[in-house]
Amino acid sequence: MECQHFLSCGSCNFYEKSYEEQVEFKKERLSSIVSQEVSCFVSPKTNYRSRAEFRVWHDGDKCSYAMGNAEKNGVVLIEECPKVLVSIEERMWEMLRVINKSNILKHKLFSVEFLASTLDEVLVTLIYHKKLDEDWVKVARELEAKLDISLIGRSKGQKLILSKESVTQNLDIDGVNFWYLYYDGGFTQPNPFVNTQMVSWACAKAATIGGGDLLESYCGLGNFTLPLSRYFSKVLATEVSKRSIANAKENCLLNKITNISFVRLSSEELSQALKQERAFNRLKDIDLESFNFRCVLVDPPRAGLDSGTLEIISSIEYIIYISCNPETLSRDLEILRQTHEIVDAAMFDQFPYTEHIESGVFLKLR
């Protein structure tokens, strides 16, 4: 990928090497952590990112997109962004032109957020430092129709949804289509091409286990849960976010999957429930003792796993650990290797042109 803002924009900071050299660098770093060769799943070199957020910079009567600069002490005005999906790229510049022609749209506009799918659906959120009124709604509807997008207006204490607040995404996992609704403000994997490979990798590991039940912590909107459910009798999937759990249940219904129980529990609460230290009303309709957990999938935040979760999963036969932070992965593997051996590991390049490493490790009880 070539971009005129390399060196100045802080969004991409690993561009001195070719893309192939970047992948090799990340692969070697992960290999040093797991002490074995790892598989690599790469990204398209351009138009791979389905989420993008830009500040709006006002210079007199003109608005521009802006990002934090490389020195982290200011902004750089953006004239291109070749990493965003084509569906975003095709609309964002026309949107800026329309905004600049409308005093109503550009007045006190603070930032613009894009969320897109590979099905050419684009959701745009315009964020303001002013109260939005009927005049804004009228011109915003015209913009929505002109660009064939779904548009949301937000300001303090106000959220105006003009048509809908989600986009539909399809993942083809080994020839089976799974459908997801991605909502404004919810967490989604930013690179749909690598995400498909990541979920497929996890499914390939699950297929070797031979049944039983699955426990999943940090399930989000069901990104892994729905495809993995094919390989297990029952699934218990937990997540701390109430909104994510509601989204996951909706996605479950959308795919007509019936063997998953989604429950809002933090990782600490899940540990307390499984060790029978505390009863939760949220689990009143779920018989925990009926589960035969042969596999657990964890996809924690950058902080990694807490001690309670590590204790719980150390007794489960198979572990699929999805990590977004090599440092905490290395720390957690020191503990898990006391009970498990690493069977396979993979690097997923979700974030090209950055040093960020997304990885998966498959472990089996010794």
Side-chain angles (χ1 to χ4, degrees), residues 182-217:
Y182 291 170
Y183 280 89
D184 166 60
F187 175 79
T188 59
Q189 297 289 346
N191 188 323
F193 310 102
V194 175
N195 181 45
T196 298
Q197 297 178 82
M198 188 164 65
V199 175
S200 294
W201 177 85
C203 286
K205 304 305 115 182
T208 67
I209 291 172
D213 298 329
L214 172 69
L215 174 66
E216 183 179 356
S217 183

PDB file of all heavy atoms in Angstrom, residues 182-217:
ATOM      1  N   TYR A 182     -23.873  -5.840  12.688  1.00  0.00           N
ATOM      2  CA  TYR A 182     -22.876  -5.035  13.373  1.00  0.00           C
ATOM      3  C   TYR A 182     -23.511  -3.682  13.686  1.00  0.00           C
ATOM      4  O   TYR A 182     -23.986  -2.998  12.778  1.00  0.00           O
ATOM      5  CB  TYR A 182     -21.643  -4.800  12.489  1.00  0.00           C
ATOM      6  CG  TYR A 182     -20.791  -6.013  12.211  1.00  0.00           C
ATOM      7  CD1 TYR A 182     -19.777  -5.948  11.270  1.00  0.00           C
ATOM      8  CD2 TYR A 182     -20.975  -7.217  12.889  1.00  0.00           C
ATOM      9  CE1 TYR A 182     -18.954  -7.038  10.997  1.00  0.00           C
ATOM     10  CE2 TYR A 182     -20.175  -8.314  12.636  1.00  0.00           C
ATOM     11  CZ  TYR A 182     -19.168  -8.232  11.683  1.00  0.00           C
ATOM     12  OH  TYR A 182     -18.366  -9.312  11.424  1.00  0.00           O
ATOM     13  N   TYR A 183     -23.495  -3.289  14.956  1.00  0.00           N
ATOM     14  CA  TYR A 183     -24.166  -2.068  15.382  1.00  0.00           C
ATOM     15  C   TYR A 183     -23.202  -0.918  15.613  1.00  0.00           C
ATOM     16  O   TYR A 183     -22.033  -1.118  15.979  1.00  0.00           O
ATOM     17  CB  TYR A 183     -24.956  -2.319  16.672  1.00  0.00           C
ATOM     18  CG  TYR A 183     -26.285  -2.991  16.450  1.00  0.00           C
ATOM     19  CD1 TYR A 183     -26.389  -4.377  16.443  1.00  0.00           C
ATOM     20  CD2 TYR A 183     -27.437  -2.244  16.214  1.00  0.00           C
ATOM     21  CE1 TYR A 183     -27.604  -5.008  16.223  1.00  0.00           C
ATOM     22  CE2 TYR A 183     -28.662  -2.855  15.995  1.00  0.00           C
ATOM     23  CZ  TYR A 183     -28.740  -4.235  16.001  1.00  0.00           C
ATOM     24  OH  TYR A 183     -29.942  -4.848  15.769  1.00  0.00           O
ATOM     25  N   ASP A 184     -23.716   0.274  15.443  1.00  0.00           N
ATOM     26  CA  ASP A 184     -22.985   1.490  15.786  1.00  0.00           C
ATOM     27  C   ASP A 184     -22.524   1.411  17.244  1.00  0.00           C
ATOM     28  O   ASP A 184     -23.312   1.124  18.144  1.00  0.00           O
ATOM     29  CB  ASP A 184     -23.905   2.702  15.604  1.00  0.00           C
ATOM     30  CG  ASP A 184     -23.363   3.954  16.258  1.00  0.00           C
ATOM     31  OD1 ASP A 184     -22.263   4.381  15.888  1.00  0.00           O
ATOM     32  OD2 ASP A 184     -24.054   4.490  17.161  1.00  0.00           O
ATOM     33  N   GLY A 185     -21.251   1.650  17.464  1.00  0.00           N
ATOM     34  CA  GLY A 185     -20.707   1.669  18.818  1.00  0.00           C
ATOM     35  C   GLY A 185     -20.339   0.317  19.380  1.00  0.00           C
ATOM     36  O   GLY A 185     -19.695   0.239  20.429  1.00  0.00           O
ATOM     37  N   GLY A 186     -20.728  -0.772  18.714  1.00  0.00           N
ATOM     38  CA  GLY A 186     -20.380  -2.103  19.204  1.00  0.00           C
ATOM     39  C   GLY A 186     -19.012  -2.529  18.690  1.00  0.00           C
ATOM     40  O   GLY A 186     -18.513  -2.001  17.686  1.00  0.00           O
ATOM     41  N   PHE A 187     -18.397  -3.510  19.367  1.00  0.00           N
ATOM     42  CA  PHE A 187     -17.081  -3.978  18.916  1.00  0.00           C
ATOM     43  C   PHE A 187     -17.248  -4.954  17.765  1.00  0.00           C
ATOM     44  O   PHE A 187     -18.021  -5.906  17.843  1.00  0.00           O
ATOM     45  CB  PHE A 187     -16.317  -4.657  20.050  1.00  0.00           C
ATOM     46  CG  PHE A 187     -15.018  -5.256  19.563  1.00  0.00           C
ATOM     47  CD1 PHE A 187     -13.915  -4.449  19.351  1.00  0.00           C
ATOM     48  CD2 PHE A 187     -14.924  -6.612  19.278  1.00  0.00           C
ATOM     49  CE1 PHE A 187     -12.722  -4.987  18.864  1.00  0.00           C
ATOM     50  CE2 PHE A 187     -13.743  -7.162  18.805  1.00  0.00           C
ATOM     51  CZ  PHE A 187     -12.641  -6.339  18.597  1.00  0.00           C
ATOM     52  N   THR A 188     -16.492  -4.720  16.698  1.00  0.00           N
ATOM     53  CA  THR A 188     -16.415  -5.644  15.580  1.00  0.00           C
ATOM     54  C   THR A 188     -14.957  -5.802  15.172  1.00  0.00           C
ATOM     55  O   THR A 188     -14.142  -4.897  15.371  1.00  0.00           O
ATOM     56  CB  THR A 188     -17.209  -5.134  14.358  1.00  0.00           C
ATOM     57  OG1 THR A 188     -16.678  -3.861  13.952  1.00  0.00           O
ATOM     58  CG2 THR A 188     -18.686  -4.980  14.695  1.00  0.00           C
ATOM     59  N   GLN A 189     -14.623  -6.954  14.609  1.00  0.00           N
ATOM     60  CA  GLN A 189     -13.277  -7.133  14.091  1.00  0.00           C
ATOM     61  C   GLN A 189     -13.087  -6.180  12.912  1.00  0.00           C
ATOM     62  O   GLN A 189     -13.936  -6.099  12.035  1.00  0.00           O
ATOM     63  CB  GLN A 189     -13.065  -8.578  13.648  1.00  0.00           C
ATOM     64  CG  GLN A 189     -13.165  -9.600  14.768  1.00  0.00           C
ATOM     65  CD  GLN A 189     -11.992  -9.538  15.726  1.00  0.00           C
ATOM     66  OE1 GLN A 189     -10.952  -8.917  15.445  1.00  0.00           O
ATOM     67  NE2 GLN A 189     -12.134 -10.174  16.885  1.00  0.00           N
ATOM     68  N   PRO A 190     -11.976  -5.451  12.858  1.00  0.00           N
ATOM     69  CA  PRO A 190     -11.831  -4.373  11.872  1.00  0.00           C
ATOM     70  C   PRO A 190     -11.455  -4.822  10.470  1.00  0.00           C
ATOM     71  O   PRO A 190     -11.579  -4.053   9.531  1.00  0.00           O
ATOM     72  CB  PRO A 190     -10.715  -3.516  12.472  1.00  0.00           C
ATOM     73  CG  PRO A 190      -9.888  -4.501  13.235  1.00  0.00           C
ATOM     74  CD  PRO A 190     -10.863  -5.487  13.814  1.00  0.00           C
ATOM     75  N   ASN A 191     -10.963  -6.059  10.338  1.00  0.00           N
ATOM     76  CA  ASN A 191     -10.486  -6.542   9.043  1.00  0.00           C
ATOM     77  C   ASN A 191     -11.291  -7.790   8.676  1.00  0.00           C
ATOM     78  O   ASN A 191     -10.969  -8.894   9.111  1.00  0.00           O
ATOM     79  CB  ASN A 191      -8.989  -6.869   9.139  1.00  0.00           C
ATOM     80  CG  ASN A 191      -8.363  -7.187   7.790  1.00  0.00           C
ATOM     81  OD1 ASN A 191      -8.980  -7.812   6.932  1.00  0.00           O
ATOM     82  ND2 ASN A 191      -7.124  -6.779   7.605  1.00  0.00           N
ATOM     83  N   PRO A 192     -12.359  -7.658   7.882  1.00  0.00           N
ATOM     84  CA  PRO A 192     -13.235  -8.801   7.619  1.00  0.00           C
ATOM     85  C   PRO A 192     -12.553  -9.943   6.881  1.00  0.00           C
ATOM     86  O   PRO A 192     -12.931 -11.106   7.045  1.00  0.00           O
ATOM     87  CB  PRO A 192     -14.367  -8.195   6.775  1.00  0.00           C
ATOM     88  CG  PRO A 192     -13.789  -6.948   6.199  1.00  0.00           C
ATOM     89  CD  PRO A 192     -12.829  -6.435   7.221  1.00  0.00           C
ATOM     90  N   PHE A 193     -11.543  -9.630   6.085  1.00  0.00           N
ATOM     91  CA  PHE A 193     -10.853 -10.667   5.316  1.00  0.00           C
ATOM     92  C   PHE A 193     -10.020 -11.559   6.234  1.00  0.00           C
ATOM     93  O   PHE A 193     -10.046 -12.785   6.130  1.00  0.00           O
ATOM     94  CB  PHE A 193      -9.980 -10.011   4.245  1.00  0.00           C
ATOM     95  CG  PHE A 193     -10.725  -8.994   3.426  1.00  0.00           C
ATOM     96  CD1 PHE A 193     -10.567  -7.634   3.660  1.00  0.00           C
ATOM     97  CD2 PHE A 193     -11.618  -9.400   2.452  1.00  0.00           C
ATOM     98  CE1 PHE A 193     -11.262  -6.691   2.919  1.00  0.00           C
ATOM     99  CE2 PHE A 193     -12.323  -8.463   1.702  1.00  0.00           C
ATOM    100  CZ  PHE A 193     -12.148  -7.115   1.941  1.00  0.00           C
ATOM    101  N   VAL A 194      -9.304 -10.941   7.156  1.00  0.00           N
ATOM    102  CA  VAL A 194      -8.501 -11.719   8.107  1.00  0.00           C
ATOM    103  C   VAL A 194      -9.402 -12.354   9.167  1.00  0.00           C
ATOM    104  O   VAL A 194      -9.141 -13.461   9.631  1.00  0.00           O
ATOM    105  CB  VAL A 194      -7.415 -10.835   8.750  1.00  0.00           C
ATOM    106  CG1 VAL A 194      -6.650 -11.600   9.825  1.00  0.00           C
ATOM    107  CG2 VAL A 194      -6.444 -10.345   7.677  1.00  0.00           C
ATOM    108  N   ASN A 195     -10.468 -11.664   9.540  1.00  0.00           N
ATOM    109  CA  ASN A 195     -11.400 -12.238  10.517  1.00  0.00           C
ATOM    110  C   ASN A 195     -11.956 -13.564  10.019  1.00  0.00           C
ATOM    111  O   ASN A 195     -12.059 -14.534  10.784  1.00  0.00           O
ATOM    112  CB  ASN A 195     -12.540 -11.264  10.796  1.00  0.00           C
ATOM    113  CG  ASN A 195     -13.514 -11.797  11.828  1.00  0.00           C
ATOM    114  OD1 ASN A 195     -13.110 -12.322  12.866  1.00  0.00           O
ATOM    115  ND2 ASN A 195     -14.794 -11.702  11.544  1.00  0.00           N
ATOM    116  N   THR A 196     -12.317 -13.652   8.746  1.00  0.00           N
ATOM    117  CA  THR A 196     -12.818 -14.905   8.186  1.00  0.00           C
ATOM    118  C   THR A 196     -11.786 -16.010   8.324  1.00  0.00           C
ATOM    119  O   THR A 196     -12.113 -17.152   8.694  1.00  0.00           O
ATOM    120  CB  THR A 196     -13.191 -14.709   6.706  1.00  0.00           C
ATOM    121  OG1 THR A 196     -14.229 -13.736   6.601  1.00  0.00           O
ATOM    122  CG2 THR A 196     -13.671 -16.005   6.082  1.00  0.00           C
ATOM    123  N   GLN A 197     -10.524 -15.682   8.063  1.00  0.00           N
ATOM    124  CA  GLN A 197      -9.456 -16.675   8.194  1.00  0.00           C
ATOM    125  C   GLN A 197      -9.258 -17.074   9.656  1.00  0.00           C
ATOM    126  O   GLN A 197      -8.989 -18.248   9.969  1.00  0.00           O
ATOM    127  CB  GLN A 197      -8.155 -16.106   7.631  1.00  0.00           C
ATOM    128  CG  GLN A 197      -8.218 -15.786   6.150  1.00  0.00           C
ATOM    129  CD  GLN A 197      -6.914 -15.175   5.650  1.00  0.00           C
ATOM    130  OE1 GLN A 197      -5.948 -15.893   5.358  1.00  0.00           O
ATOM    131  NE2 GLN A 197      -6.868 -13.861   5.561  1.00  0.00           N
ATOM    132  N   MET A 198      -9.385 -16.122  10.552  1.00  0.00           N
ATOM    133  CA  MET A 198      -9.207 -16.375  11.980  1.00  0.00           C
ATOM    134  C   MET A 198     -10.288 -17.312  12.510  1.00  0.00           C
ATOM    135  O   MET A 198     -10.000 -18.272  13.239  1.00  0.00           O
ATOM    136  CB  MET A 198      -9.221 -15.041  12.725  1.00  0.00           C
ATOM    137  CG  MET A 198      -8.861 -15.129  14.191  1.00  0.00           C
ATOM    138  SD  MET A 198      -8.438 -13.491  14.871  1.00  0.00           S
ATOM    139  CE  MET A 198     -10.009 -12.656  14.714  1.00  0.00           C
ATOM    140  N   VAL A 199     -11.548 -17.051  12.136  1.00  0.00           N
ATOM    141  CA  VAL A 199     -12.646 -17.909  12.574  1.00  0.00           C
ATOM    142  C   VAL A 199     -12.506 -19.293  11.952  1.00  0.00           C
ATOM    143  O   VAL A 199     -12.737 -20.321  12.626  1.00  0.00           O
ATOM    144  CB  VAL A 199     -14.001 -17.270  12.221  1.00  0.00           C
ATOM    145  CG1 VAL A 199     -15.152 -18.221  12.557  1.00  0.00           C
ATOM    146  CG2 VAL A 199     -14.184 -15.951  12.957  1.00  0.00           C
ATOM    147  N   SER A 200     -12.107 -19.364  10.697  1.00  0.00           N
ATOM    148  CA  SER A 200     -11.911 -20.658  10.037  1.00  0.00           C
ATOM    149  C   SER A 200     -10.822 -21.462  10.724  1.00  0.00           C
ATOM    150  O   SER A 200     -10.942 -22.690  10.881  1.00  0.00           O
ATOM    151  CB  SER A 200     -11.560 -20.453   8.555  1.00  0.00           C
ATOM    152  OG  SER A 200     -12.637 -19.880   7.855  1.00  0.00           O
ATOM    153  N   TRP A 201      -9.752 -20.790  11.136  1.00  0.00           N
ATOM    154  CA  TRP A 201      -8.667 -21.476  11.856  1.00  0.00           C
ATOM    155  C   TRP A 201      -9.187 -22.060  13.163  1.00  0.00           C
ATOM    156  O   TRP A 201      -8.904 -23.221  13.483  1.00  0.00           O
ATOM    157  CB  TRP A 201      -7.522 -20.495  12.132  1.00  0.00           C
ATOM    158  CG  TRP A 201      -6.387 -21.073  12.921  1.00  0.00           C
ATOM    159  CD1 TRP A 201      -5.316 -21.779  12.443  1.00  0.00           C
ATOM    160  CD2 TRP A 201      -6.221 -21.030  14.349  1.00  0.00           C
ATOM    161  NE1 TRP A 201      -4.488 -22.158  13.475  1.00  0.00           N
ATOM    162  CE2 TRP A 201      -5.019 -21.714  14.660  1.00  0.00           C
ATOM    163  CE3 TRP A 201      -6.967 -20.471  15.390  1.00  0.00           C
ATOM    164  CZ2 TRP A 201      -4.550 -21.855  15.961  1.00  0.00           C
ATOM    165  CZ3 TRP A 201      -6.497 -20.610  16.688  1.00  0.00           C
ATOM    166  CH2 TRP A 201      -5.307 -21.296  16.972  1.00  0.00           C
ATOM    167  N   ALA A 202      -9.940 -21.277  13.924  1.00  0.00           N
ATOM    168  CA  ALA A 202     -10.496 -21.766  15.186  1.00  0.00           C
ATOM    169  C   ALA A 202     -11.424 -22.952  14.947  1.00  0.00           C
ATOM    170  O   ALA A 202     -11.413 -23.934  15.712  1.00  0.00           O
ATOM    171  CB  ALA A 202     -11.243 -20.643  15.903  1.00  0.00           C
ATOM    172  N   CYS A 203     -12.216 -22.896  13.882  1.00  0.00           N
ATOM    173  CA  CYS A 203     -13.119 -24.010  13.565  1.00  0.00           C
ATOM    174  C   CYS A 203     -12.329 -25.270  13.198  1.00  0.00           C
ATOM    175  O   CYS A 203     -12.725 -26.389  13.569  1.00  0.00           O
ATOM    176  CB  CYS A 203     -14.055 -23.620  12.430  1.00  0.00           C
ATOM    177  SG  CYS A 203     -15.368 -22.485  12.909  1.00  0.00           S
ATOM    178  N   ALA A 204     -11.233 -25.094  12.471  1.00  0.00           N
ATOM    179  CA  ALA A 204     -10.404 -26.247  12.112  1.00  0.00           C
ATOM    180  C   ALA A 204      -9.830 -26.917  13.354  1.00  0.00           C
ATOM    181  O   ALA A 204      -9.726 -28.153  13.424  1.00  0.00           O
ATOM    182  CB  ALA A 204      -9.278 -25.808  11.170  1.00  0.00           C
ATOM    183  N   LYS A 205      -9.456 -26.123  14.362  1.00  0.00           N
ATOM    184  CA  LYS A 205      -8.971 -26.704  15.620  1.00  0.00           C
ATOM    185  C   LYS A 205     -10.107 -27.431  16.349  1.00  0.00           C
ATOM    186  O   LYS A 205      -9.927 -28.546  16.846  1.00  0.00           O
ATOM    187  CB  LYS A 205      -8.395 -25.613  16.528  1.00  0.00           C
ATOM    188  CG  LYS A 205      -7.293 -24.764  15.933  1.00  0.00           C
ATOM    189  CD  LYS A 205      -6.137 -25.578  15.407  1.00  0.00           C
ATOM    190  CE  LYS A 205      -5.982 -25.447  13.917  1.00  0.00           C
ATOM    191  NZ  LYS A 205      -4.904 -26.258  13.336  1.00  0.00           N
ATOM    192  N   ALA A 206     -11.280 -26.810  16.386  1.00  0.00           N
ATOM    193  CA  ALA A 206     -12.424 -27.416  17.077  1.00  0.00           C
ATOM    194  C   ALA A 206     -12.822 -28.734  16.434  1.00  0.00           C
ATOM    195  O   ALA A 206     -13.260 -29.666  17.122  1.00  0.00           O
ATOM    196  CB  ALA A 206     -13.600 -26.444  17.078  1.00  0.00           C
ATOM    197  N   ALA A 207     -12.670 -28.815  15.113  1.00  0.00           N
ATOM    198  CA  ALA A 207     -13.072 -30.026  14.397  1.00  0.00           C
ATOM    199  C   ALA A 207     -12.253 -31.243  14.794  1.00  0.00           C
ATOM    200  O   ALA A 207     -12.684 -32.384  14.601  1.00  0.00           O
ATOM    201  CB  ALA A 207     -12.972 -29.792  12.898  1.00  0.00           C
ATOM    202  N   THR A 208     -11.065 -31.012  15.368  1.00  0.00           N
ATOM    203  CA  THR A 208     -10.198 -32.137  15.765  1.00  0.00           C
ATOM    204  C   THR A 208     -10.525 -32.677  17.148  1.00  0.00           C
ATOM    205  O   THR A 208      -9.993 -33.710  17.546  1.00  0.00           O
ATOM    206  CB  THR A 208      -8.722 -31.709  15.745  1.00  0.00           C
ATOM    207  OG1 THR A 208      -8.487 -30.725  16.781  1.00  0.00           O
ATOM    208  CG2 THR A 208      -8.349 -31.097  14.401  1.00  0.00           C
ATOM    209  N   ILE A 209     -11.385 -31.978  17.886  1.00  0.00           N
ATOM    210  CA  ILE A 209     -11.616 -32.310  19.297  1.00  0.00           C
ATOM    211  C   ILE A 209     -12.539 -33.508  19.461  1.00  0.00           C
ATOM    212  O   ILE A 209     -12.361 -34.348  20.352  1.00  0.00           O
ATOM    213  CB  ILE A 209     -12.159 -31.072  20.045  1.00  0.00           C
ATOM    214  CG1 ILE A 209     -11.053 -30.017  20.134  1.00  0.00           C
ATOM    215  CG2 ILE A 209     -12.665 -31.446  21.430  1.00  0.00           C
ATOM    216  CD1 ILE A 209     -11.512 -28.681  20.667  1.00  0.00           C
ATOM    217  N   GLY A 210     -13.561 -33.584  18.623  1.00  0.00           N
ATOM    218  CA  GLY A 210     -14.454 -34.731  18.697  1.00  0.00           C
ATOM    219  C   GLY A 210     -15.639 -34.554  19.608  1.00  0.00           C
ATOM    220  O   GLY A 210     -16.065 -35.507  20.276  1.00  0.00           O
ATOM    221  N   GLY A 211     -16.185 -33.342  19.661  1.00  0.00           N
ATOM    222  CA  GLY A 211     -17.438 -33.138  20.387  1.00  0.00           C
ATOM    223  C   GLY A 211     -17.258 -32.637  21.798  1.00  0.00           C
ATOM    224  O   GLY A 211     -16.231 -32.083  22.178  1.00  0.00           O
ATOM    225  N   GLY A 212     -18.311 -32.853  22.614  1.00  0.00           N
ATOM    226  CA  GLY A 212     -18.358 -32.290  23.960  1.00  0.00           C
ATOM    227  C   GLY A 212     -19.007 -30.915  23.917  1.00  0.00           C
ATOM    228  O   GLY A 212     -19.703 -30.565  22.960  1.00  0.00           O
ATOM    229  N   ASP A 213     -18.781 -30.124  24.949  1.00  0.00           N
ATOM    230  CA  ASP A 213     -19.360 -28.782  25.046  1.00  0.00           C
ATOM    231  C   ASP A 213     -18.255 -27.732  25.028  1.00  0.00           C
ATOM    232  O   ASP A 213     -17.111 -28.006  25.388  1.00  0.00           O
ATOM    233  CB  ASP A 213     -20.193 -28.647  26.321  1.00  0.00           C
ATOM    234  CG  ASP A 213     -21.368 -29.604  26.358  1.00  0.00           C
ATOM    235  OD1 ASP A 213     -21.890 -29.928  25.271  1.00  0.00           O
ATOM    236  OD2 ASP A 213     -21.751 -30.044  27.460  1.00  0.00           O
ATOM    237  N   LEU A 214     -18.640 -26.519  24.615  1.00  0.00           N
ATOM    238  CA  LEU A 214     -17.696 -25.405  24.502  1.00  0.00           C
ATOM    239  C   LEU A 214     -18.036 -24.326  25.505  1.00  0.00           C
ATOM    240  O   LEU A 214     -19.194 -23.953  25.673  1.00  0.00           O
ATOM    241  CB  LEU A 214     -17.750 -24.813  23.083  1.00  0.00           C
ATOM    242  CG  LEU A 214     -16.962 -23.504  22.851  1.00  0.00           C
ATOM    243  CD1 LEU A 214     -15.462 -23.761  22.914  1.00  0.00           C
ATOM    244  CD2 LEU A 214     -17.348 -22.873  21.513  1.00  0.00           C
ATOM    245  N   LEU A 215     -17.009 -23.812  26.166  1.00  0.00           N
ATOM    246  CA  LEU A 215     -17.115 -22.633  27.014  1.00  0.00           C
ATOM    247  C   LEU A 215     -16.392 -21.501  26.305  1.00  0.00           C
ATOM    248  O   LEU A 215     -15.273 -21.679  25.823  1.00  0.00           O
ATOM    249  CB  LEU A 215     -16.468 -22.889  28.374  1.00  0.00           C
ATOM    250  CG  LEU A 215     -16.381 -21.693  29.336  1.00  0.00           C
ATOM    251  CD1 LEU A 215     -17.773 -21.241  29.776  1.00  0.00           C
ATOM    252  CD2 LEU A 215     -15.521 -22.058  30.557  1.00  0.00           C
ATOM    253  N   GLU A 216     -17.043 -20.332  26.226  1.00  0.00           N
ATOM    254  CA  GLU A 216     -16.384 -19.180  25.607  1.00  0.00           C
ATOM    255  C   GLU A 216     -16.499 -17.974  26.520  1.00  0.00           C
ATOM    256  O   GLU A 216     -17.582 -17.634  26.997  1.00  0.00           O
ATOM    257  CB  GLU A 216     -16.994 -18.846  24.242  1.00  0.00           C
ATOM    258  CG  GLU A 216     -16.275 -17.691  23.557  1.00  0.00           C
ATOM    259  CD  GLU A 216     -16.832 -17.356  22.188  1.00  0.00           C
ATOM    260  OE1 GLU A 216     -17.745 -18.054  21.708  1.00  0.00           O
ATOM    261  OE2 GLU A 216     -16.339 -16.372  21.593  1.00  0.00           O
ATOM    262  N   SER A 217     -15.363 -17.330  26.752  1.00  0.00           N
ATOM    263  CA  SER A 217     -15.326 -16.103  27.535  1.00  0.00           C
ATOM    264  C   SER A 217     -14.928 -14.956  26.619  1.00  0.00           C
ATOM    265  O   SER A 217     -14.089 -15.126  25.732  1.00  0.00           O
ATOM    266  CB  SER A 217     -14.327 -16.235  28.687  1.00  0.00           C
ATOM    267  OG  SER A 217     -14.315 -15.083  29.493  1.00  0.00           O
TER     268      SER A 217
END
